[in-house]
Amino acid sequence: MQVQFVDPVIASGLDIESLQNEGIVSKAWCPRIPIPRPQSFFRFEVACAMSHVRAAQMIVDSNVPWAFVFEDDNVIDEKCIPKFHKICEWAQLHHNVFNVINISPCNSLHFPTIRPALYPNTQGCTNALLYSRNGAKHLLSKIYPLSSPIDDW
């Protein structure tokens, strides 16, 4: 299995007003946490969403049929490795029938599970995803302007 790291978008470096003016971020951002909330949290939400978009673009550009996307806060226990092998086998055979599957540990007592799902992903926790290449393409075609945290996609 080939591993590639995606450089994250750094929240402190974002100019939100410019991103909104360029149509990258919606001026009607719908936050997960009700207002009032710190502006720094809004920047973090935008940076995390933009990092996921960057990962989706890498999937499309690499021409792989499917790929895992893990956020940096994942801890992959050795006991999960056999389950990941099963997911890899399944994805290799079925990459043409799913867009994105949420395999985040906070979504299942039986991490990871396979539940083929169509975009949008409404699981509420997105630190571990399996994208088909078509799913990544679909995401990129529908995502702008970014209007909510990735956990709400």
Side-chain angles (χ1 to χ4, degrees), residues 50-62:
M50 291 178 71
S51 295
H52 276 266
V53 170
R54 188 178 280 177
Q57 187 64 58
M58 281 183 70
I59 294 167
V60 171
D61 293 346
S62 70

Side-chain angles (χ1 to χ4, degrees), residues 60-95:
V60 171
D61 293 346
S62 70
N63 208 22
V64 296
W66 57 272
F68 289 110
V69 174
F70 295 107
E71 290 184 359
D72 62 350
D73 57 354
N74 273 284
V75 177
I76 300 174
D77 190 305
E78 264 188 52
K79 65 185 173 195
C80 291
I81 300 301
K83 293 178 183 180
F84 279 112
H85 286 293
K86 283 186 180 181
I87 292 173
C88 290
E89 290 171 9
W90 183 89
Q92 195 61 34
L93 294 173
H94 299 95
H95 60 85

Side-chain angles (χ1 to χ4, degrees), residues 90-142:
W90 183 89
Q92 195 61 34
L93 294 173
H94 299 95
H95 60 85
N96 57 339
V97 298
F98 73 93
N99 283 340
V100 61
I101 299 173
N102 191 330
I103 59 170
S104 300
C106 51
N107 284 321
S108 172
L109 298 174
H110 308 288
F111 170 67
T113 59
I114 298 175
R115 288 189 310 263
L118 296 177
Y119 179 86
N121 179 0
T122 57
Q123 300 296 320
C125 177
T126 54
N127 63 349
L129 300 170
L130 174 65
Y131 279 99
S132 69
R133 185 166 184 267
N134 286 337
K137 279 183 182 178
H138 183 75
L139 171 77
L140 295 171
S141 74
K142 302 287 185 190

